[in-house]
Amino acid sequence: MVKKVLFSLLVIVLLISSAYIVVLYIDLSADIDKVKHYTPKLASQIYDRKNRLIANVFDTEFRFYAKFDEIPPRMIEALLAIEDTLFFEHSGINYDAIIRAALKNIKSGRFGEGGSTLTQQLVKNVILTRERTLSRKIKEALLTIQVEQVLSKEQILEIYLNEVFFGHGYYGVKTAALGYFKKPLSMLTLKEIAMIVGLPNAPSVYDPTKNLDFSLARANDIIRRMYDLGWISKEYADAALSEIPIVYNQTLTQNIAPYVTDFALRQLSSIKDIKTGGYTIKLNIDLEYQALAQQALINGYNGIQERLQKVSKNTNLVPQDQENKTDTFNGAMVVTDTRTGKILALVGGVDYSKSPYNRATDAKRQLGSSIKPFIYQIAFNKGYSTATKVPDAARAFGEYKARNVDKVFRGMMTLQEALMFSRNLATLNIVSLVGFNDIYNGLLQFGFSDLNPDITITIGSLSATPLMVAREYSIFSNYGTRIDPILIDSVIDINGNVFTYDTKQDTIIPADQAFLGISVLREVVANGTGRRARVNGIEIAGKTGTTNNNVDFWFCGFTPDIQTIIWFGRDDNRPIGQYESSGLVAAPVFAEFIGNTLKLDPSQRRKFPQPEGVGAKTIDKYTFYYTTTSPIPNNSSTSNEQNLW
């Protein structure tokens, strides 16, 4: 009777267990999709215009994906030798290995050893947690059986080798090969392969950048195992055992232009998986130009710091006050192609590690005299010429009383001379001559926004970022056609689909009209306030810009091919120094940068082309003034030729 009861209980237990397993098997089938439709997080890569890596970007897992045919056969052999020799023979579970592990666990009284196959390890990594409980083991076994039914052995290996963590922040064998050895998978030696496949067992212990001896020893065990299995020859094994590969300890991102990378990711923020989708992002940046711009900015920064330190010795500033003031000083630079608007270099600060704030894109600062070329261009568009004379004399504008920086009046002078020497009073008299409403509307037409209806905007009280200034100055450098600076060239997704990015262009004034402005800006550099921006052998046009109390220093200049906007100032908007000026601080940075780009690219155009419809007249033996015959904007029939004198 007792036997019948026990037998009945056993049958009931078996039935319940079977039912539980069947139900669990069915419930777990939904989890199979995680493996069947495996979509890992993939790092995206950013390249410059010459396909040089700028940065790797990722979210939580740094991974490059390798398809099965990219994985060397020796890597498969090395993996199976150490992890699952019978992988191609079992159906997902190696029962002999499980029994051996179970006996050891019973003997030790704890779950200390497993007999997991690669398929089971894949289930742990992709679907389940790594907790050591009987319930999880049952789930693992059931899921393993299902995985083997829906995936081929090759697919299982591919997913496993891309999912597993290989230490040092690297996920997947392709990432590990590039990270540790700077090699594609196809170029790895057997020793390097063995070092990689030996990592998942204990990534921190066998990380070759930290514990090279442990890593080599682990790799040697794998190589000996491959030899014992008869998978490699003795000669091959001996050669691999004696090899000591070069291991690289690299940062994950390899980000060599962080201000550029940050700005690119911000512009691509609408792509939700930009850091996890494995995109290839190509920028218009030229890394050689970027390096030259960064160094020129640093050199300019160091130069002014040295001068400020010398000045501080003769002031009442205590050292700590001077140090705090100096720490806020910084700069920015935007370099564009004059004809396409492509951003060739973008530097948001002197040192990203100290301040990631991107001043090139985010710091709106007063323009000072950098705005004046637009005021004069509006006058040219109204029919006044570069030779029109205006008084450089005091003038009252209500309660506002302007003055020149040198506090001197120079009397009557041409518009060209007034801009060359950046005369505030002459500029304000031009505004009175043209009419403030026309100046205001003209600035809006050029693309400036958020303008206060205040006379001070005409001598620089309005604010803009260096990137915004680059857009507006393209009206000059691109001969009347404003072009939006563009950073991104294209984005390629993991399926090979290419998405290209185009800039926006608007013709604001005719090319010959714009050349009038160019001709005067060329004189600013040749003989005016921008003399320190000169570079031998090439024509340069540009304008210095200094705001009240020496708070901001600008130089906005261009050659026939390259436009460069430079800004220096303090992040807290305090004065830089009473003995400094934009011509002394910013213009030399421009000269250094352009001079170096000419060495890098000597094919640059050296002279500004003269559009049709432009003429020249001479006031004296040495002074040329350009004229135009095309109609003035706004359908005016007046031309600069008719209003020359």
Side-chain angles (χ1 to χ4, degrees):
M1 185 68 181
V2 173
K3 289 183 178 180
K4 288 184 178 180
V5 171
L6 290 174
F7 179 76
S8 298
L9 288 173
L10 179 61
V11 170
I12 292 171
V13 169
L14 288 173
L15 288 173
I16 293 173
S17 299
S18 299
Y20 169 75
I21 290 173
V22 170
V23 172
L24 186 61
Y25 184 93
I26 296 172
D27 288 343
L28 290 175
S29 61
D31 290 330
I32 292 299
D33 283 341
K34 294 180 181 179
V35 175
K36 191 175 180 181
H37 304 292
Y38 177 62
T39 53
K41 294 180 178 180
L42 302 179
S44 295
Q45 293 188 288
I46 301 176
Y47 293 90
D48 81 340
R49 65 174 182 169
K50 295 179 181 176
N51 295 316
R52 294 169 295 200
L53 181 66
I54 295 176
N56 297 314
V57 294
F58 58 96
D59 185 13
T60 57
E61 297 178 0
F62 181 33
R63 178 186 289 107
F64 298 128
Y65 197 86
K67 294 186 180 299
F68 185 78
D69 57 9
E70 293 180 62
I71 301 170
R74 287 294 185 199
M75 180 167 278
I76 302 297
E77 292 175 352
L79 176 66
L80 300 187
I82 198 67
E83 292 290 346
D84 192 353
T85 307
L86 300 177
F87 175 74
F88 282 101
E89 298 174 26
H90 62 64
S91 59
I93 299 175
N94 187 336
Y95 296 101
D96 290 339
I98 289 175
I99 292 171
R100 286 195 302 271
L103 291 174
K104 289 184 179 180
N105 291 334
I106 291 171
K107 187 176 180 180
S108 64
R110 63 185 179 86
F111 284 110
E113 182 174 331
S116 298
T117 64
L118 284 175
T119 311
Q120 288 174 283
Q121 292 181 43
L122 177 63
V123 168
K124 292 177 192 175
N125 280 285
V126 178
I127 302 176
L128 299 176
T129 65
R130 287 185 172 272
E131 63 176 334
R132 293 177 180 271
T133 64
L134 181 60
S135 174
R136 193 201 61 77
K137 278 291 184 182
I138 294 173
K139 291 179 181 180
E140 177 188 305
L142 294 174
L143 285 167
T144 298
I145 294 170
Q146 293 186 66
V147 167
E148 288 273 351
Q149 292 174 345
V150 299
L151 297 180
S152 68
K153 292 288 187 179
E154 290 77 12
Q155 288 173 316
I156 292 170
L157 285 170
E158 178 180 318
I159 295 173
Y160 176 86
L161 287 171
N162 281 287
E163 174 65 21
V164 172
F165 179 59
F166 288 90
H168 209 71
Y170 303 143
Y171 287 81
V173 289
K174 186 173 184 177
T175 319
L178 293 170
Y180 288 124
F181 304 114
K182 291 187 178 181
K183 290 182 178 180
L185 290 169
S186 61
M187 298 297 292
L188 293 174
T189 66
L190 177 58
K191 187 60 161 285
E192 292 165 342
I193 286 173
M195 291 171 72
I196 289 174
V197 300
L199 281 162
N201 182 259
S204 60
V205 174
Y206 298 122
D207 184 338
T209 66
K210 300 174 182 176
N211 304 305
L212 182 58
D213 289 343
F214 289 173
S215 178
L216 292 172
R218 170 75 168 164
N220 288 341
D221 288 342
I222 295 172
I223 293 167
R224 293 189 186 99
R225 172 67 174 161
M226 294 175 72
Y227 172 70
D228 292 341
L229 290 169
W231 291 355
I232 56 175
S233 66
K234 187 176 188 305
E235 294 76 18
Y236 194 17
D238 289 343
L241 289 170
S242 63
E243 181 189 352
I244 302 179
I246 298 173
V247 178
Y248 297 90
N249 187 2
Q250 305 182 77
T251 61
L252 300 184
T253 61
Q254 300 184 44
N255 190 349
I256 57 178
Y259 288 112
V260 170
T261 298
D262 286 356
F263 187 44
L265 291 177
R266 194 196 314 173
Q267 290 199 313
L268 295 171
S269 60
S270 61
I271 303 175
K272 300 303 181 184
D273 63 341
I274 192 62
K275 290 185 177 182
T276 60
Y279 293 94
T280 298
I281 304 162
K282 187 171 181 180
L283 305 183
N284 295 316
I285 291 290
D286 186 304
L287 279 178
E288 290 170 312
Y289 278 53
Q290 180 72 20
L292 293 177
Q294 182 76 61
Q295 192 57 56
L297 196 73
I298 290 172
N299 291 343
Y301 171 88
N302 290 338
I304 190 171
Q305 294 289 48
E306 291 174 5
R307 293 194 298 274
L308 290 174
Q309 290 295 332
K310 290 179 181 178
V311 170
S312 70
K313 294 178 181 179
N314 300 318
T315 67
N316 294 323
L317 284 174
V318 296
Q320 184 64 42
D321 289 339
Q322 179 62 28
E323 181 181 348
N324 291 338
K325 190 174 181 181
T326 300
D327 285 345
T328 67
F329 182 64
N330 223 299
M333 196 165 171
V334 178
V335 180
T336 54
D337 183 295
T338 58
R339 288 171 288 187
T340 65
K342 292 180 178 180
I343 299 176
L344 304 177
L346 185 145
V347 185
V350 174
D351 189 339
Y352 182 88
S353 65
K354 293 181 179 179
S355 174
Y357 177 60
N358 195 332
R359 296 156 188 85
T361 60
D362 298 334
K364 292 188 72 171
R365 304 296 291 246
Q366 288 192 357
L367 294 183
S369 296
S370 298
I371 193 63
K372 289 177 182 175
F374 299 95
I375 307 301
Y376 285 68
Q377 186 65 57
I378 293 168
F380 299 152
N381 295 345
K382 287 294 182 181
Y384 299 99
S385 84
T386 58
T388 299
K389 290 190 175 182
V390 292
D392 181 44
R395 188 183 184 97
F397 295 90
E399 295 182 359
Y400 174 66
K401 295 181 180 180
R403 62 181 178 83
N404 289 319
V405 174
D406 59 8
K407 301 179 182 179
V408 173
F409 305 139
R410 294 195 179 183
M412 298 299 293
M413 61 194 325
T414 65
L415 268 62
Q416 178 164 297
E417 292 168 335
L419 188 55
M420 282 172 58
F421 300 108
S422 199
R423 308 301 291 175
N424 286 340
L425 295 175
T427 302
L428 289 170
N429 282 313
I430 292 170
V431 173
S432 294
L433 191 65
V434 174
F436 178 76
N437 286 340
D438 286 341
I439 295 291
Y440 185 89
N441 291 327
L443 290 174
L444 291 174
Q445 181 190 19
F446 284 147
F448 290 99
S449 58
D450 299 326
L451 302 180
N452 291 323
D454 187 303
I455 192 71
T456 60
I457 65 172
T458 64
I459 54 173
S461 67
L462 62 84
S463 299
T465 67
L467 186 64
M468 294 164 64
V469 175
R471 174 180 183 261
E472 303 312 323
Y473 260 82
S474 68
I475 294 173
F476 297 111
S477 64
N478 197 34
Y479 283 73
T481 298
R482 187 184 62 219
I483 186 166
D484 289 1
I486 183 168
L487 178 67
I488 300 167
D489 174 77
S490 60
V491 175
I492 305 172
D493 66 19
I494 57 174
N495 297 316
N497 299 311
V498 181
F499 305 92
T500 57
Y501 291 74
D502 298 316
T503 190
K504 180 182 178 183
Q505 298 190 46
D506 292 296
T507 298
I508 306 300
I509 54 176
D512 56 350
Q513 283 294 117
F515 187 77
L516 295 180
I518 294 171
S519 70
V520 180
L521 291 174
R522 188 170 54 186
E523 288 299 314
V524 171
V525 175
N527 300 299
T529 58
R531 291 186 297 277
R532 286 187 173 86
R534 290 181 294 193
V535 177
N536 290 334
I538 189 169
E539 290 186 342
I540 291 169
K543 184 68 183 75
T544 54
T546 304
T547 60
N548 287 343
N549 300 317
N550 289 354
V551 171
D552 301 279
F553 292 151
W554 296 82
F555 186 79
C556 308
F558 52 94
T559 70
D561 289 330
I562 299 173
Q563 176 180 280
T564 302
I565 307 300
I566 299 164
W567 169 85
F568 282 103
R570 298 191 187 282
D571 291 333
D572 57 9
N573 283 292
R574 286 191 290 173
I576 297 171
Q578 61 178 325
Y579 302 109
E580 303 295 331
S581 68
S582 55
L584 182 63
V585 174
V589 173
F590 178 92
E592 177 186 339
F593 173 72
I594 293 298
N596 286 329
T597 65
L598 286 174
K599 296 174 186 176
L600 184 67
D601 184 9
S603 64
Q604 293 181 50
R605 293 181 296 172
R606 304 301 176 104
K607 290 183 176 295
F608 291 105
Q610 184 171 308
E612 292 184 8
V614 174
K617 291 195 174 184
T618 306
I619 290 182
D620 53 45
K621 292 181 181 179
Y622 311 103
T623 309
F624 283 87
Y625 290 89
Y626 289 92
T627 65
T628 66
T629 56
S630 65
I632 302 302
N634 300 325
N635 299 319
S636 171
S637 60
T638 310
S639 75
N640 291 64
E641 177 75 25
Q642 295 168 327
N643 285 274
L644 184 57
W645 313 122

